[in-house]
Amino acid sequence: DVYKRQVLASIVGTLLLNSSLALAQEKMEKVTASWLPIMQTMAYYVALEEKLFEKAGIEINSVKFQNPNQIIDSLVSGQADFGPPGAAAGITALAESRYPGTFKVFGLQGGGIKVGMINDGLIVSNASTISSFKDLKGKSIGTLPGIQWKTITRYILRQNGLDPDKDVRINEIAVPMHIPSVVAGTVDATLSLEPVGSIAVASKEARRAMTNPVATFIADPFYSGVSVLSTKFMKERPEVAKKVVAVLDQATKMANENFDKYRPIIAKYTAIQPDQVQYVAQPYLRANKDLTANDVKSYQALVNVFEKEGVLKEHMDIQKIMLKPTDFK
């Protein structure tokens, strides 16, 4: 009798446990995120590692892309609900101009001279005499694939008195090939996002001729990455969208305050090797709740570059796509 009661109690306990687990799973909201394996996405890696989404009742379908255009395409087409930190800031603005009312930006990522955080560098070989963009006349520069970095590069060349169509050859190069291309002499320099510069310096294969050139010529701080919500997701599931913002605000705070603690996870989510993570520069990450008028002004400066270069056909006021508390109503 005692044995039967124990077996029965065990069965009932298991059934109760299974039903409560099933209920918990039913309550979990499924949300799709499209992300890039770069340093600016750091807060998202922290959120995944610390299971912050699960704690908020969200089950994440995490989709990795190598091309920033694909992230924005997935949001426009409704295949994804949000782009975590590191989505391309310029491409987001271009897509919003084509499809008005599609996005809300709720975080910015980059670097700056005054804050002492590196976002990008002008990378050259150790033997190179290039010390600035002015020295690129008659030479070639490699940049990230896609419209954002090509436009930024063209603008900076103009700021340095060069004609990007006549004086310099611009080559779009996949990120893993930036250092090898400079070392082999395929290009004379690259304008590269972190962690390319940190790896170049650490490996002693190449060097930074300039640190944070984009902040020098466009805005300081400079933000090339954004966190983005699709307005479709916000309208259909406002409470869940609000939780996503809260989770990434929390993760951004954790990444900023304990960067060295979270360094090892960089190798798990990006192409950086475990023995290289110690050299990687800390990104400048801005949570939604901490954004200032100066941050928005810096983002506006980048968007204005697209207008000046003729890529954006009309002026865009970036305030219109920045997330406001009233947007969830």
Side-chain angles (χ1 to χ4, degrees):
D1 277 1
V2 173
Y3 175 71
K4 277 181 185 174
R5 278 202 299 274
Q6 283 175 339
V7 169
L8 195 61
S10 172
I11 291 167
V12 170
T14 305
L15 286 169
L16 283 169
L17 181 65
N18 286 344
S19 63
S20 64
L21 282 172
L23 271 170
Q25 282 170 341
E26 270 175 36
K27 283 178 187 170
M28 292 285 273
E29 286 277 358
K30 286 191 173 138
V31 177
T32 299
S34 297
W35 61 282
L36 268 184
I38 58 173
M39 283 309 300
Q40 294 175 355
T41 314
M42 187 74 189
Y44 181 62
Y45 310 149
V46 171
L48 293 177
E49 288 298 304
E50 297 289 2
K51 299 200 172 354
L52 300 183
F53 289 110
E54 285 94 324
K55 287 170 189 169
I58 294 168
E59 184 187 326
I60 286 283
N61 173 30
S62 194
V63 185
K64 179 166 79 169
F65 289 107
Q66 296 291 345
N67 183 327
N69 290 41
Q70 292 169 325
I71 289 180
I72 304 306
D73 288 345
S74 72
L75 289 163
V76 170
S77 63
Q79 291 172 298
D81 300 307
F82 77 103
I91 297 169
T92 298
L94 288 173
E96 177 66 20
S97 74
R98 192 180 295 176
Y99 309 103
T102 305
F103 304 107
K104 287 293 174 184
V105 169
F106 67 97
L108 296 168
Q109 305 84 39
I113 298 156
K114 287 175 193 154
V115 295
M117 290 182 177
I118 304 172
N119 182 67
D120 48 79
L122 181 65
I123 314 301
V124 297
S125 69
N126 291 326
S128 176
T129 56
I130 294 166
S131 63
S132 75
F133 280 81
K134 284 187 171 75
D135 300 327
L136 289 171
K137 187 161 187 179
K139 294 184 165 61
S140 58
I141 183 167
T143 189
L144 283 85
I147 191 72
Q148 175 158 314
W149 284 92
K150 191 176 181 182
T151 304
I152 288 169
T153 305
R154 287 174 65 84
Y155 177 79
I156 293 176
L157 289 168
R158 283 192 218 278
Q159 295 297 297
N160 284 272
L162 298 173
D163 183 335
D165 295 312
K166 295 176 183 171
D167 296 331
V168 186
R169 293 184 307 283
I170 300 171
N171 297 353
E172 294 181 40
I173 301 171
V175 176
M177 294 309 295
H178 279 216
I179 297 171
S181 298
V182 165
V183 172
T186 314
V187 289
D188 297 294
T190 60
L191 176 55
S192 303
L193 265 179
E194 271 300 304
V196 174
S198 292
I199 293 168
V201 172
S203 65
K204 297 186 171 62
E205 288 187 10
R207 62 186 177 86
R208 289 188 191 99
M210 284 185 81
T211 300
N212 282 331
V214 190
T216 305
F217 295 110
I218 295 178
D220 184 24
F222 174 72
Y223 300 111
S224 54
V226 290
S227 317
V228 192
L229 289 171
S230 89
T231 50
K232 179 178 181 283
F233 171 47
M234 287 172 64
K235 281 170 191 161
E236 289 173 2
R237 295 188 284 166
E239 290 309 313
V240 186
K242 209 183 281 187
K243 282 180 185 174
V244 166
V245 175
V247 163
L248 284 166
D249 270 8
Q250 185 188 351
T252 299
K253 187 172 189 280
M254 291 163 81
N256 285 334
E257 290 177 357
N258 301 291
F259 184 71
D260 286 330
K261 173 189 169 183
Y262 292 114
R263 271 182 187 277
I265 69 172
I266 297 165
K268 181 175 171 180
Y269 293 96
T270 72
I272 298 158
Q273 299 303 311
D275 61 344
Q276 294 174 326
V277 294
Q278 60 182 314
Y279 303 115
V280 174
Q282 181 172 348
Y284 189 45
L285 309 173
R286 303 292 285 158
N288 182 62
K289 63 182 175 59
D290 297 328
L291 292 177
T292 65
N294 192 50
D295 291 327
V296 178
K297 189 179 161 192
S298 287
Y299 184 17
Q300 184 70 60
L302 167 63
V303 175
N304 292 349
V305 164
F306 284 81
E307 191 185 336
K308 288 170 188 168
E309 285 295 315
V311 178
L312 194 60
K313 300 306 173 194
E314 70 255 345
H315 180 71
M316 175 183 277
D317 180 1
I318 223 64
Q319 288 278 9
K320 289 177 182 171
I321 65 167
M322 301 306 290
L323 181 71
K324 298 165 193 72
T326 51
D327 291 330
F328 287 112
K329 287 178 183 172

